[in-house]
């Protein structure tokens, strides 16, 4: 595949003249609205509110947030600059707790800042580093997509969960990147997309991206995936990841664990596609992963309309942790790998 | 439990002065609207459109539809009466293909009609038979609920799927009947209710019924069930059924198969609660069960609002079939049983 041939007519995030321009993903698929900002707080809010989402993308957004923040700081000394930058890093980090990429990117930005010699130098270095992170993450998706596509035969039906395309990861995406790459290689790829309640990223975003890529997709509810796996309609399950422990335990969008168990029960290979930045060398197993609990209204309401009687409560864990034993292999920009892992980002 | 103590302040269906009065379940939980009709076609439409739903309830509704239809027929002879009644039976039967109870009830009504000696006698016999079916089905739910409650310890957290309460089955309900019975015995019962996409019977109906019964309930999306089973939050899974084959393979609301696999994987008992009328002695295994495929709009729209880009297609199987090997036991009005079954309705 000539990667230059794959030109998206949408960009989840761009750095333009010291500003960040991002697509508000909460308005998709019915509205394609871009927001431009020079304020790191607007990036933090966008991450928190899922206007910008997808583990690799929020890493990139976090990096850009640091670059914007550096310009917003009033500092009389390099030391003051670094202190204030650290506060900005903290604000960007508390937006969402689970995706490793956000922390990885911000830590990388802080390291660059500390190596900077002057206030002006730090500002320029951070801007360059954020753009580099973005470019590297995009390139990683092309490489991992190529590796992943190599696993697929000439014809395959793939089930995927949540959204893992260019919207989620820049470049070609992760799990959806594999699918798009294989399709553009000329393979006959069909996709079942889980709607992915509560926030319907599968229904709203994955179908939108697959439609733009010209790949046949059938939407199903999350509850139907087991049925179609059992019926033999699905050859592969490929999903993304938000954080991967050294032993291969993987946090990803709620519902992933169920798919992994159902895939194994029906002898269907289950792959996780993610760049190195999703792998966390600081944690040994999934037990150490913090799962974000979001507002119960995400479950009790759909599109702002209540689906329950007054007074009913709900819980909304955003992720679950899939034990490594259910995962066939990991598709990364460094190849197809299996745990135990070392530090992939070293 | 004194069953007289449990007086519902809602009735899913009632026979009143040669008419049927039923609760329109599509409008719940926000609107409690009853429809009264003397027209069997309105019953057929109500079943088709899920205003009346739940396998045992549509059996009862089908019986009442036959009783109404008998009064609507103009016949000059007993033979003509039976021919026209058979046409009405066919119309009522084609409304929904999966629930055994509908076919069981209508076959029972046709048998009574054939035994009738005069047109007027047939009309009266069918009315009495429909009322008897309703009473017997309600009584069956109390008995099966008592058997089921006997399986539960003094304190338990139960996951259930779709809606299986009084709304679905008259009387006390099936899976939810077991829960309500145990609660009224003084056991400390907590419930996780799956929302049950696409039509949200869990979110709309099960939470509504549990709230009325005073039982604590937490709503989750279907995709969260595996996570909570894996976390050890759930002690039992209890669901209803639409059709059960001689070998124990069970058709129930889409998503049931997934729950059964996930329960087994996490060593959580998985029970199916259903009256005899759900058991089909005509089929050996689940392979013979016809799964209703409903309109794709049920998946691509929520509350009439599209959640996908224009042009995206979906599939909507209303049920799946859970192989018997995943089912711990069956809770019926004849006791706790395991396959292979004989003809329970003989």
């Amino acid at each position: 595949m000539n990667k230059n041939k794959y030109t998206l007519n949408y960009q989840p995030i761009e750095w333009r003249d010291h500003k960040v321009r991002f697509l508000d993903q909460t308005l998709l698929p019915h509205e394609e609205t871009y927001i431009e900002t020079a304020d790191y707080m607007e990036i933090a809010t966008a991450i928190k509110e899922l206007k910008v989402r997808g583990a690799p993308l929020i890493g990139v957004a976090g990096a850009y947030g640091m670059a914007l923040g550096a310009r917003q700081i009033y500092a009389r000394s390099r030391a003051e600059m670094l202190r204030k930058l650290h506060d900005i890093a903290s604000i960007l980090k508390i937006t969402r707790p689970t995706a490793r990429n956000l922390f990885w990117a911000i830590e990388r930005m802080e390291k660059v800042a500390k190596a900077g010699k002057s206030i002006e130098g730090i500002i320029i270095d951070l801007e360059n580093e954020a753009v580099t992170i973005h470019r590297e993450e995009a390139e990683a998706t092309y490489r991992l997509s190529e590796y992943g596509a190599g696993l697929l035969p000439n014809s395959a039906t793939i089930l995927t969960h949540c959204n893992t395309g260019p919207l989620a990861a820049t470049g070609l995406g992760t799990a959806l990147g594999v699918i798009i790459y294989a399709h553009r290689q000329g393979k006959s790829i069909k996709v079942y997309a889980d709607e992915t309640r509560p926030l319907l990223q599968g229904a709203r975003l994955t179908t939108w991206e697959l439609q733009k890529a010209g790949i046949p997709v059938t939407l199903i509810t999350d509850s139907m995936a087991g049925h179609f796996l059992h019926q033999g309609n699905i050859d592969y399950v490929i999903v993304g990841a938000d954080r991967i422990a050294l032993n291969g335990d993987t946090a990803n969008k709620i519902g992933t664990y169920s798919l992994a168990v159902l895939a194994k029960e029906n002898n269907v290979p289950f792959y996780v596609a993610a760049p190195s930045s999703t792998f966390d060398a600081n944690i040994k197993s999934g037990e150490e992963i913090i799962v974000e609990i979001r507002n119960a209204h995400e479950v009790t309401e759909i599109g702002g309309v209540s689906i329950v009687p007054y007074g009913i409560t709900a819980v909304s864990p955003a992720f679950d942790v899939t034990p490594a034993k259910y995962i066939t292999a990991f598709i990364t920009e460094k190849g197809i790998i299996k745990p135990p892992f070392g530090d992939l980002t070293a």
Side-chain angles (χ1 to χ4, degrees), chain A:
Chain A
M1 185 176 85
N2 179 347
K3 50 180 89 161
N4 298 324
K5 270 192 179 168
Y6 194 73
T7 309
L8 290 177
N9 59 2
Y10 60 97
Q11 287 295 339
I13 201 160
E14 283 176 291
W15 182 254
R16 281 189 178 187
D17 194 24
H18 311 308
K19 286 188 186 139
V20 174
R21 180 175 184 265
F22 64 88
L23 179 54
D24 181 350
Q25 299 193 25
T26 61
L27 302 177
L28 289 174
H30 300 307
E31 217 177 289
E32 201 172 326
T33 300
Y34 288 87
I35 296 171
E36 198 172 87
T37 183
D39 181 3
Y40 81 94
M41 276 302 297
E42 194 161 354
I43 299 295
T45 307
I47 294 171
K48 179 94 188 151
E49 295 176 352
L50 311 191
K51 290 176 181 173
V52 166
R53 34 66 50 202
L57 186 66
I58 68 177
V60 172
Y64 282 138
M66 289 289 284
L68 292 179
R71 279 192 186 273
Q72 292 177 269
I73 290 170
Y74 174 75
R76 278 153 302 190
S77 69
R78 180 182 166 282
E80 188 183 355
M81 175 81 181
L82 289 179
R83 269 201 313 279
K84 289 188 171 173
L85 254 182
H86 189 66
D87 292 341
I88 291 173
S90 301
I91 288 169
L92 288 165
K93 278 177 174 178
I94 57 162
T95 54
R96 300 196 70 192
T98 305
R100 170 61 191 154
N101 316 63
L102 177 64
F103 300 86
W104 164 83
I106 290 172
E107 285 159 17
R108 189 167 146 176
M109 293 293 283
E110 281 211 272
K111 207 168 156 189
V112 165
K114 281 173 193 157
K117 295 201 168 49
S118 67
I119 292 176
E120 191 49 40
I122 289 171
I123 290 170
I124 293 166
D125 290 350
L126 286 180
E127 195 165 310
N128 289 335
E129 186 69 4
V131 170
T132 301
I133 286 173
H134 187 176
R135 193 192 66 239
E136 287 179 3
E137 287 293 90
E139 285 170 359
T141 69
Y142 280 95
R143 285 200 298 280
L144 76 82
S145 295
E146 184 173 5
Y147 281 121
L151 296 169
L152 302 177
N154 281 330
S155 176
T157 301
I158 297 166
L159 171 67
T160 190
H161 190 59
C162 199
N163 171 263
T164 58
L167 282 176
T170 79
L172 208 54
T174 57
L176 222 54
V178 172
I179 288 166
I180 295 169
Y181 202 103
H183 168 76
R184 296 185 69 88
Q185 281 179 321
K187 291 179 178 176
S188 172
I189 303 291
K190 288 179 189 162
V191 177
Y192 279 90
D194 273 357
E195 65 176 1
T196 317
R197 276 280 286 150
L199 294 175
L200 300 167
Q201 292 92 336
R204 295 189 303 107
L205 309 178
T206 297
T207 63
W208 187 80
E209 293 201 281
L210 288 171
Q211 192 177 55
K212 285 190 181 272
I215 299 170
V217 55
T218 300
L219 179 70
I220 60 174
T221 64
D222 303 310
S223 59
M224 291 172 192
H227 172 67
F228 288 112
L229 281 162
H230 187 54
Q231 295 280 102
N233 296 50
I234 292 160
D235 304 312
Y236 298 86
V237 181
I238 312 179
V239 299
D242 287 81
R243 190 180 292 244
I244 301 166
L246 286 169
N247 74 343
D249 291 352
T250 297
N252 191 45
K253 179 55 59 196
I254 189 78
T256 301
Y257 164 75
S258 296
L259 295 182
V261 170
L262 288 159
K264 186 163 195 131
E265 186 74 7
N266 290 288
N267 300 309
V268 172
F270 183 93
Y271 291 105
V272 170
S276 299
S277 54
T278 306
F279 290 74
D280 188 350
N282 303 311
I283 59 171
K284 286 183 186 144
S285 81
E287 284 172 31
E288 297 173 61
I289 297 175
I290 295 166
V291 168
E292 177 184 7
I293 307 296
R294 294 186 60 85
N295 195 304
H297 287 152
E298 292 184 353
V299 175
T300 58
E301 297 176 1
I302 298 179
V305 177
S306 172
I307 58 169
V308 293
Y310 180 76
I312 291 295
T313 56
V315 282
S316 189
F319 305 96
D320 56 28
V321 177
T322 300
K325 67 175 174 179
Y326 298 107
I327 300 167
T328 308
F330 293 79
I331 300 166
T332 79
E333 80 276 21
K334 300 187 175 179
I336 310 300
I337 61 176
K338 293 186 185 193
F341 305 122
D343 184 354
L344 295 189
T345 59

